[in-house]
Amino acid sequence: MIKALLSLMVPCGSLLILSACQPDIPETIQQGMVYCAEGSPESFNPQRVTSGTTIDAISQQLYDRLLDIDPATGELLPALATAWRLSEDGKTYWFTLRPDVQFHHTAFFSPGRTLNADDVTFTFNRILQNEHPYHQVGGANYPYFQSVGWDSLVKAVVAENSTTVRFELARPDSSFLSNLATDFAAVLSAEYAEQLLQQGTPELLDQRPIGTGPFFFKEYKKDQFIRYYRHPEYWRGKTELTQLVFDLVPDNAKRMAKLLTHECDVVAYPRNAELKLITERPDVEVQSQTSMNVGFWAFNTKKAPFDNVLVRKALAYAINKDAILEAVYFGYADKAKTILPPTSWAFYHDLPEQQYDPVKAKELLAQAGFANGFRMDIWLCQCNVYTIRMR
């Protein structure tokens, strides 16, 4: 008998956007959007966070990156860099920067120039160089870049001229360009950073943001709201929204109530159990796509009995994925074959699916010396990946 059976070998769901029609309202109000988020941002600098709540609220709104990724194909696209090339040995990249990219004009900063190579070198050397005047600001914590070993990969970031930046690597790395296209690789303003340094307030770089993105920072009240205004000189063209407000509502029921009473246009992370009811409403439109999240069961293979491959195989056979999909995700998830989701470029489509077979599980446990089963503790880390929007 198996005493403990639980696994989450399923993607944690699909990204859902639910839209609903509002009654006629003035055009000036229609040009804005209210997004009900579940919490306050940890920082206004994407380099310094990994929280989805924070990234969702700051990265794409305020900043641009050297490269973008086509969400449908995974292809790398020009962004702040219009072109890039690689040396024959795979260890040096040159990026040509887009001309006439304007930084945000705000009540606390007026840029004296457009984007240039100094901004790129400042952005990434802050992460790399211990002696950099901003490296220790905020505790020298750059979790994404530290997790991918950025400091051991990138030897130098150099401005060859105002429009060309050179990255020198310690070794060839196939993930390097993709890392520059993540939400964490936002390009900051070196001019703004120098101004704050002279004023003795470098910490404000991560609290009162300046970027090149479609919106600029207007106002923030912790645990209440964030307000952005449209960046009128955005290089991709002005967004249709003149204003974007993040209403910070930790309670899920309150967020849902605000959605249904049209106080919010978008709601983050509804409960799976609520989705079926919501999608049956005639005034709600649902858009969905598979997320990059995967739920999985990890074993400490240095600890018995999980150091025994037969035990691990038995537990894999004992997982009833269909039941989990229905009971936990209410049908809003897909069965996973590997730890990588189908949306990953590295996903292997031909890998056979692990089957649910409790008889086989018991046989393997008996072979491993656990014919009567065993007890174990399971720690669960829950992820949420749904978003709802009303219009």
Side-chain angles (χ1 to χ4, degrees):
M1 180 176 62
I2 300 174
K3 303 288 187 174
L5 298 179
L6 176 61
S7 174
L8 294 179
M9 280 294 294
V10 293
C12 287
S14 302
L15 177 65
L16 294 183
I17 295 178
L18 307 189
S19 303
C21 300
Q22 289 185 337
D24 291 338
I25 55 178
E27 183 178 352
T28 54
I29 299 178
Q30 289 178 342
Q31 292 175 347
M33 175 180 286
V34 179
Y35 184 110
C36 270
E38 75 279 15
S40 297
E42 303 168 61
S43 169
F44 281 90
N45 179 357
Q47 295 177 337
R48 301 198 52 242
V49 299
T50 55
S51 160
T53 298
T54 299
I55 289 296
D56 289 349
I58 67 171
S59 185
Q60 296 288 334
Q61 295 81 3
L62 296 170
Y63 299 98
D64 292 299
R65 292 136 296 280
L66 288 175
L67 306 176
D68 282 340
I69 294 180
D70 186 317
T73 66
E75 178 187 3
L76 290 166
L77 302 173
L80 293 181
T82 59
W84 56 95
R85 61 187 177 91
L86 175 63
S87 63
E88 290 186 3
D89 64 3
K91 296 195 291 186
T92 304
Y93 287 83
W94 290 267
F95 295 87
T96 301
L97 300 183
R98 187 176 299 277
D100 302 321
V101 174
Q102 300 287 335
F103 280 99
H104 299 152
H105 288 254
T106 70
F108 50 87
F109 177 69
S110 295
R113 60 169 176 79
T114 57
L115 173 89
N116 68 28
D118 290 341
D119 301 303
V120 179
T121 57
F122 166 80
T123 295
F124 294 104
N125 282 331
R126 175 188 180 177
I127 301 168
L128 286 171
Q129 300 174 351
N130 291 337
E131 69 277 12
H132 192 282
Y134 272 87
H135 182 76
Q136 297 294 335
V137 174
N141 186 34
Y142 308 97
Y144 176 80
F145 294 95
Q146 290 162 344
S147 72
V148 298
W150 187 261
D151 58 344
S152 65
L153 173 65
V154 182
K155 294 170 57 179
V157 185
V158 180
E160 291 198 342
N161 53 55
S162 64
T163 60
T164 306
V165 179
R166 183 178 75 249
F167 284 76
E168 299 175 5
L169 308 186
R171 61 188 180 278
D173 189 286
S174 60
S175 66
F176 173 70
L177 291 177
S178 296
N179 286 332
L180 290 180
T182 64
D183 286 337
F184 309 101
V187 174
L188 311 178
S189 167
E191 183 186 17
Y192 177 48
E194 180 60 28
Q195 174 183 298
L196 293 176
L197 206 59
Q198 293 176 3
Q199 294 172 354
T201 56
E203 69 281 356
L204 294 182
L205 183 70
D206 301 330
Q207 299 170 17
R208 296 196 308 189
I210 292 292
T212 61
F215 295 93
F216 68 85
F217 176 87
K218 178 62 177 178
E219 187 179 8
Y220 169 55
K221 291 189 181 298
K222 183 176 173 58
D223 299 327
Q224 296 183 45
F225 66 86
I226 312 167
R227 189 183 306 277
Y228 299 141
Y229 282 178
R230 178 170 64 190
H231 180 19
E233 298 177 288
Y234 187 44
W235 61 271
R236 297 181 196 261
K238 291 190 296 187
T239 177
E240 294 183 5
L241 297 175
T242 59
Q243 186 175 169
L244 175 61
V245 176
F246 282 77
D247 187 0
L248 308 177
V249 186
D251 184 81
N252 185 80
K254 290 181 180 178
R255 291 199 305 273
M256 191 60 61
K258 285 196 169 190
L259 176 79
L260 299 179
T261 58
H262 303 285
E263 295 178 68
C264 290
D265 301 297
V266 180
V267 169
Y269 309 126
R271 294 188 180 93
N272 292 338
E274 298 168 332
L275 291 173
K276 187 175 187 301
L277 176 63
I278 295 169
T279 55
E280 291 175 349
R281 289 177 59 106
D283 59 343
V284 173
E285 176 188 344
V286 180
Q287 300 173 1
S288 67
Q289 67 181 41
T290 303
S291 77
M292 288 291 288
N293 298 71
V294 174
F296 60 94
W297 198 359
F299 303 105
N300 183 352
T301 57
K302 294 183 178 181
K303 183 177 180 179
F306 307 110
D307 57 345
N308 188 326
V309 66
L310 293 177
V311 171
R312 299 197 299 271
K313 286 184 176 181
L315 294 177
Y317 277 115
I319 300 169
N320 188 342
K321 295 181 185 178
D322 291 325
I324 294 172
L325 288 175
E326 184 62 32
V328 178
Y329 298 99
F330 296 85
Y332 290 100
D334 301 316
K335 285 191 285 188
K337 293 182 178 180
T338 76
I339 198 170
L340 293 175
T343 47
S344 169
W345 64 269
F347 180 75
Y348 182 47
H349 291 271
D350 296 331
L351 193 71
E353 181 184 329
Q354 174 70 47
Q355 299 298 315
Y356 170 56
D357 190 339
V359 174
K360 181 70 172 177
K362 293 177 182 179
E363 291 175 355
L364 290 171
L365 278 182
Q367 293 177 33
F370 296 96
N372 295 321
F374 64 92
R375 293 185 178 276
M376 62 182 178
D377 294 327
I378 300 174
W379 290 33
L380 173 64
C381 179
Q382 181 65 45
C383 62
N384 299 296
V385 294
Y386 302 115
T387 302
I388 298 179
R389 183 177 69 190
M390 301 190 77
R391 68 184 181 194

